[in-house]
């Protein structure tokens, strides 16, 4: 276990007391003078040693010892494609993990351009997960992270930069901890307690909780139908930040399936392990909400958590059952393992009908097909707004939470859900026809294809984890996408530019006119 401490200025130290890794692209490392790194090397390395080590390393990556195993310099790959992040965030996380030093106190110095600092700081956070049930064998480690900013526009690291990186780190590690925890420790009731804890830390009103039979009574047929067979009851939970002077209403909706057996359409023994991660969307929303509010979010922000355990039992939903969702639409169940879209269908409908949100973003580990469509590093994005689709792609390249768009074509794809007895089925007829796009459209149908605001769907089934560890994916993506609403300068400068605010203003004006 490790505590991560970001610093704007790092005190002098000796690698015999505080082992150090200095890392960056070779071009950036080559811009340094030995005097820039000497304070972290004590008397253990000379200017000649430093110069020789950097000269030995290739631009493709690698590392070289500066002093025994306690001081090293490591190179990130220089080349990247237009669909990767210039920061090489994924490589940075792996490099930090491989170069991790032993000791109570360790030091990481990241050498980067200012525009890559946010992604680099988040990448370090992903390298140190917090959840563990192992018997402790060593005392906790403190990892100090410092930055040397180089290149055009280089400027000193500020306290506001550190505040941003520290908050992002907390949010990412919170999300990853929830996803890594097994369901006997992170069932729906414990998840609700986590949400209450965040509300308390931020000084907000306690969240709205609609749980168990109250869901059925209030028309949340999707969440109720998925989770009614579980010991710990399903819930819709809403955490709200409503600052004075806000002009926009934004809703982030997260799929929180704390465990997914597949229901009666059961997954089987080889496909079920790892399904504790099916709450990754809701975990990301909680981490992002915490980070955004802590850094001074200027607009109304609602976090909507759709929590359930898709369990097997006498009360479990059967294939052929028909549920009425909060949108009022009826759904014939033809696959109980297509449950995430049911709970999110309720969530986005609530965001539109009750919260009156002009922006709705849903995050979900929705389809196994996502990994086939866009791979294990890039989430799949679906949106009713082309401009916003580009903005979230740009935000991903800036912060390291990569993504790539899916086709948005309801008139061709939504017919996959045709039902003779209900408004729609919950799973496609043809699994070879744009599965991830269709699954997203199911959610969009309950928001309404006539929705005049902006809707973004993020399918993060693959990037939610790397190997057997959660990544905290989605936290940095949401906070960067809406960075222009933050009081923090680093988030503001990292936010993408887009112009669909006008669409939301028109929606707000239309709502105001209809109520007059």
């Amino acid at each position: 276990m490790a505590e991560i401490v970001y610093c704007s200025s790092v005190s002098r130290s000796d690698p015999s007391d505080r082992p150090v890794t200095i890392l960056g692209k070779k071009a950036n490392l080559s811009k340094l003078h030995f005097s820039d790194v000497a304070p972290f090397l004590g008397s253990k390395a000379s200017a000649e040693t430093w110069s020789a080590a950097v000269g030995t390393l290739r631009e493709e990556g690698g590392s070289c010892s500066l002093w025994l195993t306690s001081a090293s310099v490591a190179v990130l790959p220089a080349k990247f494609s237009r669909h990767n992040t210039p920061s090489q965030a994924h490589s940075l996380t792996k490099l930090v993990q491989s170069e991790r030093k032993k000791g109570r106190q360790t030091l990481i110095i990241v050498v980067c351009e200012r525009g890559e600092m946010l992604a680099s700081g988040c990448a370090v956070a992903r390298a140190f997960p917090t959840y563990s049930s192992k018997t402790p064998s060593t005392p906790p480690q403190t990892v100090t992270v410092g930055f040397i900013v180089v290149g055009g526009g280089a400027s000193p690291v500020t306290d506001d930069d550190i505040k941003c990186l520290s908050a992002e780190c907390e949010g990412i590690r919170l999300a990853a901890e929830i996803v890594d925890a097994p369901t006997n420790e992170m069932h729906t009731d414990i998840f609700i307690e986590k949400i209450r804890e965040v509300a308390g830390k931020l000084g907000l009103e306690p969240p709205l909780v609609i749980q168990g039979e109250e869901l059925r009574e209030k028309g949340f047929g999707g969440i109720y139908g998925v989770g009614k067979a579980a010991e710990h009851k399903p819930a819709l939970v809403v955490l709200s930040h409503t600052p004075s002077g806000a002009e926009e209403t934004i809703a982030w909706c997260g799929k929180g399936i704390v465990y997914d057996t597949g229901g009666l359409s059961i997954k089987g023994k080889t496909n079920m392990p790892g399904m504790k991660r099916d709450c990754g969307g809701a975990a990301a929303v909680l981490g992002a909400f915490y980070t955004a509010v802590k850094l001074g979010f200027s607009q109304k922000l609602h976090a909507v958590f759709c929590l359930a355990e898709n369990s097997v039992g006498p009360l479990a939903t059967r294939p052929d059952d028909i549920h009425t969702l909060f949108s009022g639409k009826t759904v014939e169940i033809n696959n109980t393992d297509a449950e995430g879209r049911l709970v999110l269908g309720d969530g986005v409908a609530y965001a539109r009908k009750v919260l009156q949100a002009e922006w709705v973003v849903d995050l979900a580990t929705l389809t196994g097909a996502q990994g086939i469509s866009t791979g294990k590093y890039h989430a799949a994005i679906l949106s009713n707004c082309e401009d916003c689709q580009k903005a979230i792609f740009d935000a991903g390249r800036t912060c390291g939470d990569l993504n790539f768009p899916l086709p948005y074509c309801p008139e061709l794809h939504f017919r996959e859900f045709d039902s003779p007895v209900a408004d729609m089925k919950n799973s496609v007829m043809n699994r070879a026809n744009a599965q991830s796009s269709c699954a997203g459209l199911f959610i969009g149908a309950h928001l309404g294809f006539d929705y005049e605001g902006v809707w973004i769907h993020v399918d993060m089934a693959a990037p939610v984890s790397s190997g057997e560890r959660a990544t905290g994916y989605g936290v940095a993506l949401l906070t960067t996408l809406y960075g222009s609403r933050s009081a923090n300068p680093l988030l503001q400068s990292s936010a993408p530019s887009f112009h669909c605010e006008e669409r939301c203003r028109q929606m707000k004006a239309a709502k105001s006119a209809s109520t007059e």
Side-chain angles (χ1 to χ4, degrees), residues 388-408:
C388 208
Q389 175 183 285
K390 181 181 183 302
I392 195 169
F393 174 80
D394 291 342
R397 291 187 77 236
T398 298
C399 72
D401 280 348
L402 298 173
N403 59 80
F404 197 79
L406 295 170
Y408 176 79

Side-chain angles (χ1 to χ4, degrees), residues 13 44 72 90 102 121 135 199 290 365 404 417 425 433 512:
S13 61
K44 299 301 188 295
S72 61
H90 293 84
K102 295 181 179 180
T135 304
Y290 172 79
T365 51
F404 197 79
F417 298 106
K425 292 184 179 180
N433 184 19
S512 298

Side-chain angles (χ1 to χ4, degrees), residues 175-513:
E177 180 183 5
I178 290 171
V179 174
D180 276 338
T183 308
N184 61 323
E185 298 177 16
M186 192 54 64
H187 48 71
T188 56
D189 293 327
I190 297 298
F191 204 125
I192 293 169
E193 287 306 311
K194 286 283 186 184
I195 297 169
R196 289 192 172 113
E197 286 176 15
V198 167
K201 288 180 180 179
L202 296 173
L204 302 177
E205 293 294 322
L208 168 71
V209 179
I210 302 172
Q211 190 170 20
E213 290 301 313
E214 190 180 3
L215 287 168
R216 179 185 58 79
E217 294 164 2
K218 293 189 174 180
F220 295 95
I223 301 174
Y224 178 76
V226 171
K228 62 180 179 173
E231 175 187 2
H232 300 280
K233 296 308 175 185
L236 179 86
V237 184
V238 184
L239 186 56
S240 299
H241 166 66
T242 55
S244 59
E247 297 180 351
E248 297 175 298
T249 302
I250 299 163
W252 295 342
C253 304
K255 172 188 171 184
I257 301 298
V258 294
Y259 200 81
D260 183 16
T261 65
L264 293 180
S265 305
I266 200 159
K267 289 180 178 292
K269 66 178 182 180
T270 58
N271 294 326
M272 205 182 298
M275 284 299 106
K276 64 179 182 178
R277 303 185 189 110
D278 216 12
C279 62
V285 166
L286 184 60
F289 182 92
Y290 172 79
T291 301
V293 175
K294 188 170 184 178
L295 294 176
F297 203 81
S298 63
Q299 304 302 318
K300 290 182 182 179
L301 181 62
H302 301 284
V304 181
F305 304 93
C306 306
L307 306 179
E309 180 180 349
N310 191 16
S311 193
V312 177
L315 299 179
T317 287
R318 298 165 289 260
D320 295 336
D321 284 357
I322 295 176
H323 295 313
T324 303
L325 272 61
F326 194 72
S327 63
K329 298 185 185 326
T330 56
V331 179
E332 178 189 3
I333 306 302
N334 61 337
N335 180 3
T336 64
D337 196 21
E339 82 299 327
R341 62 199 69 180
L342 294 168
V343 301
L344 278 174
D346 277 346
V348 298
Y350 184 88
R352 178 181 181 177
K353 293 170 66 175
V354 178
L355 300 177
Q356 298 287 297
E358 297 108 46
W359 303 76
V360 177
V361 185
D362 73 81
L363 275 73
T365 51
L366 201 68
T367 63
Q370 177 272 304
I372 299 170
S373 300
T374 58
K376 66 179 184 179
Y377 298 109
H378 295 72
I381 304 300
L382 194 69
S383 180
N384 64 352
C385 174
E386 186 174 6
D387 189 54
C388 208
Q389 175 183 285
K390 181 181 183 302
I392 195 169
F393 174 80
D394 291 342
R397 291 187 77 236
T398 298
C399 72
D401 280 348
L402 298 173
N403 59 80
F404 197 79
L406 295 170
Y408 176 79
C409 196
E411 63 273 23
L412 294 183
H413 290 149
F414 193 67
R415 63 187 63 175
E416 288 289 341
F417 298 106
D418 283 353
S419 166
V421 293
D423 293 326
M424 65 193 78
K425 292 184 179 180
N426 76 311
S427 190
V428 292
M429 289 183 284
N430 182 358
R431 295 178 69 83
N433 184 19
Q435 259 198 85
S436 296
S437 290
C438 293
L441 290 175
F442 181 96
I443 298 168
H446 293 277
L447 180 63
F449 294 130
D450 62 341
Y451 178 59
E452 295 175 340
V454 172
W455 168 60
I456 306 171
H457 164 65
V458 182
D459 188 343
M460 47 181 278
V464 72
S465 62
S466 177
E468 295 193 51
R469 277 298 201 172
T471 59
Y473 183 95
V475 173
L477 182 63
L478 287 177
T479 54
T480 303
L481 179 63
Y482 289 95
S484 61
R485 282 79 171 168
S486 176
N488 185 270
L490 181 56
L491 269 186
Q492 288 177 0
S493 65
S494 301
S497 60
F498 49 96
H499 309 288
C500 43
E501 286 95 341
E502 181 59 31
R503 177 175 182 158
C504 292
R505 279 194 290 269
Q506 291 173 358
M507 176 185 174
K508 186 175 181 180
K511 285 195 301 185
S512 298

